[in-house]
Amino acid sequence: MIDTARTPPRQVRITVALLWSVIPHGLAVTVLNGVALVMTDRRLPHAPVTQNAEAVPVALREYAGFAWGRTALIGLFFVAAALAFGLLARAARQGARRWPTVPLLAGVLAVLHTIGLVLVAGLNPVTGYGPRLFPVNGALFSGAPFDMAAAAPPWYLPALAALLVLGWAGRLAGLILLARSATVRWYTRKETAGEAAGDTTGEPAVPAGRTRAIPLMALGPVFVAVVTAFNHTAIRLTENAADPALVEHVVSAARTAMFVDSAFLGVSAVALAILGTHPRLRTRPGALFTSGVLTVLYLLALVVAQVFNPLSTGVLTDDQSGFSEHIPPWYLPALTVIQSVAALVHLAALAELVTRARGPLIARSPSCPPSTTSRRPGPRR
């Protein structure tokens, strides 16, 4: 007799297959890149020169090493992706008791894998050869002397784009299926293997511990407000120390950067706060998956807000007004501390979310409320 509580349903088997498809997908992209770079290397000496004619010998000599090194780097990305998706597929196949971590990591991988494929497209070994510096007789020439898109085989870029989109869509479908209610109900039947085992038509199973509030999730918008106020204060102090007549345009650029940073931080922080504290949203099967997606976006926004802060050199490019000379020396260390605390608090909230999700799983239909112990009515006396 087949143990239906331990046999994965069709949806789980499809999910596992989609997750493991990262291996043939990575091999296909690597082979495609290898064939394209060999053909490009042969076509490059006959490609028309568009700029930096003096750098042609150096560009021809260095292309093969660059292209094979870039191909190896892309291959390492797919090896890392295969390990991550393989571990996730194994956990999904086994229906591990640590199931709350599975959809959370699925959400994290959904964003990281998407970013990785975008980088693979932009850093491919053919057109990625363009933005480089070529030293020739003590001078530096910016950019390859050839039009690399024209030097590449005409089928390469469309084929690479189609292959990357297909792989991304397959993996994303697998990650979304992993957080669907049917998968969660299978975990419920497997782990309880009792009364909940026969309930496959009711509401998606949710852990009892997830019904409690998580106040740490609501602190994200508070930190965004603190960072915004801190940046505004630092800009005002710097402006007052400099000559207001000379730094007006620089102050405007700094304030624009402040608002942009706050907007990117605020969207993900508010969404996480709502997801973590709303009674109905946080008990849905896809809540942990969505939390993983928003967590990566929130942490990336923190990194961007740190690197491109309103008083950074990236924002105040080629400042000749003297504004940058009056930036308080404590500004960057203090901003780093504030945003590091914000990241740690959110990670602690996420750990609390997963910990509270490890409770007894409940799967019951809204039309069939939990039964209560009652006596069968006897004859009246």
PDB file of all heavy atoms in Angstrom, residues 176-198:
ATOM      1  N   ILE A 176       7.559  29.551  -6.870  1.00  0.00           N
ATOM      2  CA  ILE A 176       6.201  29.954  -6.498  1.00  0.00           C
ATOM      3  C   ILE A 176       5.369  28.733  -6.116  1.00  0.00           C
ATOM      4  O   ILE A 176       4.612  28.760  -5.133  1.00  0.00           O
ATOM      5  CB  ILE A 176       5.545  30.741  -7.648  1.00  0.00           C
ATOM      6  CG1 ILE A 176       6.260  32.081  -7.838  1.00  0.00           C
ATOM      7  CG2 ILE A 176       4.063  30.966  -7.376  1.00  0.00           C
ATOM      8  CD1 ILE A 176       5.759  32.885  -9.008  1.00  0.00           C
ATOM      9  N   LEU A 177       5.512  27.637  -6.875  1.00  0.00           N
ATOM     10  CA  LEU A 177       4.783  26.412  -6.528  1.00  0.00           C
ATOM     11  C   LEU A 177       5.174  25.902  -5.151  1.00  0.00           C
ATOM     12  O   LEU A 177       4.360  25.301  -4.448  1.00  0.00           O
ATOM     13  CB  LEU A 177       5.061  25.334  -7.576  1.00  0.00           C
ATOM     14  CG  LEU A 177       4.360  25.485  -8.927  1.00  0.00           C
ATOM     15  CD1 LEU A 177       4.845  24.409  -9.889  1.00  0.00           C
ATOM     16  CD2 LEU A 177       2.859  25.404  -8.760  1.00  0.00           C
ATOM     17  N   LEU A 178       6.412  26.142  -4.772  1.00  0.00           N
ATOM     18  CA  LEU A 178       6.899  25.679  -3.473  1.00  0.00           C
ATOM     19  C   LEU A 178       6.152  26.339  -2.319  1.00  0.00           C
ATOM     20  O   LEU A 178       6.049  25.775  -1.238  1.00  0.00           O
ATOM     21  CB  LEU A 178       8.397  25.965  -3.354  1.00  0.00           C
ATOM     22  CG  LEU A 178       9.151  25.277  -2.217  1.00  0.00           C
ATOM     23  CD1 LEU A 178       9.058  23.778  -2.365  1.00  0.00           C
ATOM     24  CD2 LEU A 178      10.598  25.716  -2.237  1.00  0.00           C
ATOM     25  N   ALA A 179       5.652  27.542  -2.554  1.00  0.00           N
ATOM     26  CA  ALA A 179       4.944  28.272  -1.499  1.00  0.00           C
ATOM     27  C   ALA A 179       3.429  28.164  -1.642  1.00  0.00           C
ATOM     28  O   ALA A 179       2.708  28.813  -0.886  1.00  0.00           O
ATOM     29  CB  ALA A 179       5.347  29.748  -1.524  1.00  0.00           C
ATOM     30  N   ARG A 180       2.961  27.359  -2.583  1.00  0.00           N
ATOM     31  CA  ARG A 180       1.525  27.241  -2.793  1.00  0.00           C
ATOM     32  C   ARG A 180       0.889  26.369  -1.706  1.00  0.00           C
ATOM     33  O   ARG A 180       1.534  25.596  -1.031  1.00  0.00           O
ATOM     34  CB  ARG A 180       1.243  26.636  -4.172  1.00  0.00           C
ATOM     35  CG  ARG A 180       1.656  27.513  -5.314  1.00  0.00           C
ATOM     36  CD  ARG A 180       0.675  28.625  -5.489  1.00  0.00           C
ATOM     37  NE  ARG A 180      -0.633  28.097  -5.804  1.00  0.00           N
ATOM     38  CZ  ARG A 180      -1.411  28.555  -6.761  1.00  0.00           C
ATOM     39  NH1 ARG A 180      -0.991  29.558  -7.499  1.00  0.00           N
ATOM     40  NH2 ARG A 180      -2.593  28.041  -6.980  1.00  0.00           N
ATOM     41  N   SER A 181      -0.429  26.479  -1.609  1.00  0.00           N
ATOM     42  CA  SER A 181      -1.138  25.826  -0.517  1.00  0.00           C
ATOM     43  C   SER A 181      -1.082  24.305  -0.601  1.00  0.00           C
ATOM     44  O   SER A 181      -1.057  23.622   0.411  1.00  0.00           O
ATOM     45  CB  SER A 181      -2.592  26.287  -0.515  1.00  0.00           C
ATOM     46  OG  SER A 181      -3.200  25.985  -1.765  1.00  0.00           O
ATOM     47  N   ALA A 182      -1.059  23.718  -1.825  1.00  0.00           N
ATOM     48  CA  ALA A 182      -1.033  22.265  -1.947  1.00  0.00           C
ATOM     49  C   ALA A 182       0.239  21.686  -1.337  1.00  0.00           C
ATOM     50  O   ALA A 182       0.217  20.648  -0.683  1.00  0.00           O
ATOM     51  CB  ALA A 182      -1.145  21.851  -3.417  1.00  0.00           C
ATOM     52  N   THR A 183       1.361  22.364  -1.550  1.00  0.00           N
ATOM     53  CA  THR A 183       2.618  21.903  -0.965  1.00  0.00           C
ATOM     54  C   THR A 183       2.573  21.997   0.545  1.00  0.00           C
ATOM     55  O   THR A 183       3.014  21.084   1.256  1.00  0.00           O
ATOM     56  CB  THR A 183       3.789  22.745  -1.510  1.00  0.00           C
ATOM     57  OG1 THR A 183       3.716  22.778  -2.926  1.00  0.00           O
ATOM     58  CG2 THR A 183       5.114  22.171  -1.080  1.00  0.00           C
ATOM     59  N   VAL A 184       2.026  23.089   1.060  1.00  0.00           N
ATOM     60  CA  VAL A 184       1.947  23.260   2.510  1.00  0.00           C
ATOM     61  C   VAL A 184       1.043  22.196   3.113  1.00  0.00           C
ATOM     62  O   VAL A 184       1.332  21.638   4.177  1.00  0.00           O
ATOM     63  CB  VAL A 184       1.442  24.673   2.847  1.00  0.00           C
ATOM     64  CG1 VAL A 184       1.272  24.843   4.348  1.00  0.00           C
ATOM     65  CG2 VAL A 184       2.401  25.715   2.313  1.00  0.00           C
ATOM     66  N   ARG A 185      -0.072  21.869   2.448  1.00  0.00           N
ATOM     67  CA  ARG A 185      -0.971  20.840   2.974  1.00  0.00           C
ATOM     68  C   ARG A 185      -0.296  19.478   2.984  1.00  0.00           C
ATOM     69  O   ARG A 185      -0.529  18.653   3.859  1.00  0.00           O
ATOM     70  CB  ARG A 185      -2.256  20.791   2.128  1.00  0.00           C
ATOM     71  CG  ARG A 185      -3.247  21.876   2.480  1.00  0.00           C
ATOM     72  CD  ARG A 185      -4.625  21.548   1.938  1.00  0.00           C
ATOM     73  NE  ARG A 185      -4.656  21.514   0.482  1.00  0.00           N
ATOM     74  CZ  ARG A 185      -4.925  22.568  -0.275  1.00  0.00           C
ATOM     75  NH1 ARG A 185      -5.177  23.736   0.280  1.00  0.00           N
ATOM     76  NH2 ARG A 185      -4.945  22.454  -1.596  1.00  0.00           N
ATOM     77  N   TRP A 186       0.602  19.233   1.977  1.00  0.00           N
ATOM     78  CA  TRP A 186       1.319  17.960   1.991  1.00  0.00           C
ATOM     79  C   TRP A 186       2.263  17.892   3.191  1.00  0.00           C
ATOM     80  O   TRP A 186       2.395  16.856   3.830  1.00  0.00           O
ATOM     81  CB  TRP A 186       2.103  17.793   0.694  1.00  0.00           C
ATOM     82  CG  TRP A 186       2.920  16.530   0.673  1.00  0.00           C
ATOM     83  CD1 TRP A 186       2.457  15.256   0.750  1.00  0.00           C
ATOM     84  CD2 TRP A 186       4.339  16.434   0.592  1.00  0.00           C
ATOM     85  NE1 TRP A 186       3.499  14.364   0.707  1.00  0.00           N
ATOM     86  CE2 TRP A 186       4.664  15.058   0.607  1.00  0.00           C
ATOM     87  CE3 TRP A 186       5.362  17.373   0.494  1.00  0.00           C
ATOM     88  CZ2 TRP A 186       5.971  14.616   0.534  1.00  0.00           C
ATOM     89  CZ3 TRP A 186       6.666  16.924   0.416  1.00  0.00           C
ATOM     90  CH2 TRP A 186       6.961  15.561   0.447  1.00  0.00           C
ATOM     91  N   TYR A 187       2.941  18.999   3.491  1.00  0.00           N
ATOM     92  CA  TYR A 187       3.772  19.031   4.692  1.00  0.00           C
ATOM     93  C   TYR A 187       2.930  18.726   5.920  1.00  0.00           C
ATOM     94  O   TYR A 187       3.355  18.020   6.834  1.00  0.00           O
ATOM     95  CB  TYR A 187       4.419  20.405   4.850  1.00  0.00           C
ATOM     96  CG  TYR A 187       5.479  20.720   3.832  1.00  0.00           C
ATOM     97  CD1 TYR A 187       5.644  22.022   3.372  1.00  0.00           C
ATOM     98  CD2 TYR A 187       6.318  19.737   3.329  1.00  0.00           C
ATOM     99  CE1 TYR A 187       6.610  22.329   2.430  1.00  0.00           C
ATOM    100  CE2 TYR A 187       7.283  20.036   2.388  1.00  0.00           C
ATOM    101  CZ  TYR A 187       7.416  21.329   1.942  1.00  0.00           C
ATOM    102  OH  TYR A 187       8.374  21.630   1.028  1.00  0.00           O
ATOM    103  N   THR A 188       1.733  19.283   5.948  1.00  0.00           N
ATOM    104  CA  THR A 188       0.854  19.061   7.090  1.00  0.00           C
ATOM    105  C   THR A 188       0.524  17.587   7.231  1.00  0.00           C
ATOM    106  O   THR A 188       0.643  16.999   8.307  1.00  0.00           O
ATOM    107  CB  THR A 188      -0.449  19.858   6.914  1.00  0.00           C
ATOM    108  OG1 THR A 188      -0.132  21.215   6.705  1.00  0.00           O
ATOM    109  CG2 THR A 188      -1.325  19.737   8.139  1.00  0.00           C
ATOM    110  N   ARG A 189       0.121  16.948   6.135  1.00  0.00           N
ATOM    111  CA  ARG A 189      -0.254  15.541   6.205  1.00  0.00           C
ATOM    112  C   ARG A 189       0.930  14.677   6.583  1.00  0.00           C
ATOM    113  O   ARG A 189       0.803  13.701   7.297  1.00  0.00           O
ATOM    114  CB  ARG A 189      -0.811  15.097   4.854  1.00  0.00           C
ATOM    115  CG  ARG A 189      -2.110  15.765   4.483  1.00  0.00           C
ATOM    116  CD  ARG A 189      -2.806  14.997   3.382  1.00  0.00           C
ATOM    117  NE  ARG A 189      -1.987  14.848   2.197  1.00  0.00           N
ATOM    118  CZ  ARG A 189      -1.914  15.744   1.230  1.00  0.00           C
ATOM    119  NH1 ARG A 189      -2.594  16.865   1.325  1.00  0.00           N
ATOM    120  NH2 ARG A 189      -1.163  15.535   0.174  1.00  0.00           N
ATOM    121  N   LYS A 190       2.115  15.046   6.077  1.00  0.00           N
ATOM    122  CA  LYS A 190       3.278  14.219   6.353  1.00  0.00           C
ATOM    123  C   LYS A 190       3.731  14.340   7.798  1.00  0.00           C
ATOM    124  O   LYS A 190       4.139  13.362   8.418  1.00  0.00           O
ATOM    125  CB  LYS A 190       4.426  14.602   5.419  1.00  0.00           C
ATOM    126  CG  LYS A 190       5.676  13.758   5.645  1.00  0.00           C
ATOM    127  CD  LYS A 190       6.706  14.027   4.598  1.00  0.00           C
ATOM    128  CE  LYS A 190       7.939  13.168   4.870  1.00  0.00           C
ATOM    129  NZ  LYS A 190       8.978  13.361   3.871  1.00  0.00           N
ATOM    130  N   GLU A 191       3.672  15.535   8.346  1.00  0.00           N
ATOM    131  CA  GLU A 191       4.220  15.746   9.679  1.00  0.00           C
ATOM    132  C   GLU A 191       3.223  15.370  10.765  1.00  0.00           C
ATOM    133  O   GLU A 191       3.601  14.897  11.819  1.00  0.00           O
ATOM    134  CB  GLU A 191       4.669  17.199   9.834  1.00  0.00           C
ATOM    135  CG  GLU A 191       5.845  17.523   8.938  1.00  0.00           C
ATOM    136  CD  GLU A 191       6.358  18.928   9.165  1.00  0.00           C
ATOM    137  OE1 GLU A 191       5.884  19.572  10.108  1.00  0.00           O
ATOM    138  OE2 GLU A 191       7.231  19.363   8.414  1.00  0.00           O
ATOM    139  N   THR A 192       1.956  15.622  10.525  1.00  0.00           N
ATOM    140  CA  THR A 192       0.973  15.226  11.538  1.00  0.00           C
ATOM    141  C   THR A 192       0.586  13.774  11.357  1.00  0.00           C
ATOM    142  O   THR A 192       0.457  13.039  12.325  1.00  0.00           O
ATOM    143  CB  THR A 192      -0.271  16.106  11.442  1.00  0.00           C
ATOM    144  OG1 THR A 192      -0.811  16.011  10.124  1.00  0.00           O
ATOM    145  CG2 THR A 192       0.067  17.549  11.736  1.00  0.00           C
ATOM    146  N   ALA A 193       0.402  13.346  10.066  1.00  0.00           N
ATOM    147  CA  ALA A 193       0.085  11.960   9.738  1.00  0.00           C
ATOM    148  C   ALA A 193      -1.041  11.430  10.605  1.00  0.00           C
ATOM    149  O   ALA A 193      -1.117  10.254  10.917  1.00  0.00           O
ATOM    150  CB  ALA A 193       1.324  11.070   9.881  1.00  0.00           C
ATOM    151  N   GLY A 194      -1.900  12.285  11.006  1.00  0.00           N
ATOM    152  CA  GLY A 194      -2.986  11.878  11.873  1.00  0.00           C
ATOM    153  C   GLY A 194      -4.274  12.462  11.404  1.00  0.00           C
ATOM    154  O   GLY A 194      -4.723  12.235  10.291  1.00  0.00           O
ATOM    155  N   GLU A 195      -4.871  13.266  12.254  1.00  0.00           N
ATOM    156  CA  GLU A 195      -6.175  13.818  11.935  1.00  0.00           C
ATOM    157  C   GLU A 195      -6.127  14.727  10.730  1.00  0.00           C
ATOM    158  O   GLU A 195      -7.028  14.741   9.901  1.00  0.00           O
ATOM    159  CB  GLU A 195      -6.696  14.595  13.144  1.00  0.00           C
ATOM    160  CG  GLU A 195      -8.089  15.154  12.933  1.00  0.00           C
ATOM    161  CD  GLU A 195      -8.582  15.845  14.170  1.00  0.00           C
ATOM    162  OE1 GLU A 195      -7.992  15.629  15.239  1.00  0.00           O
ATOM    163  OE2 GLU A 195      -9.548  16.611  14.055  1.00  0.00           O
ATOM    164  N   ALA A 196      -4.986  15.504  10.562  1.00  0.00           N
ATOM    165  CA  ALA A 196      -4.882  16.418   9.424  1.00  0.00           C
ATOM    166  C   ALA A 196      -4.559  15.706   8.130  1.00  0.00           C
ATOM    167  O   ALA A 196      -4.614  16.286   7.069  1.00  0.00           O
ATOM    168  CB  ALA A 196      -3.810  17.475   9.688  1.00  0.00           C
ATOM    169  N   ALA A 197      -4.217  14.385   8.207  1.00  0.00           N
ATOM    170  CA  ALA A 197      -3.807  13.677   7.008  1.00  0.00           C
ATOM    171  C   ALA A 197      -4.933  13.548   6.007  1.00  0.00           C
ATOM    172  O   ALA A 197      -4.714  13.538   4.806  1.00  0.00           O
ATOM    173  CB  ALA A 197      -3.286  12.288   7.380  1.00  0.00           C
ATOM    174  N   GLY A 198      -6.142  13.452   6.459  1.00  0.00           N
ATOM    175  CA  GLY A 198      -7.241  13.288   5.537  1.00  0.00           C
ATOM    176  C   GLY A 198      -7.854  14.576   5.079  1.00  0.00           C
ATOM    177  O   GLY A 198      -8.748  14.582   4.249  1.00  0.00           O
TER     178      GLY A 198
END
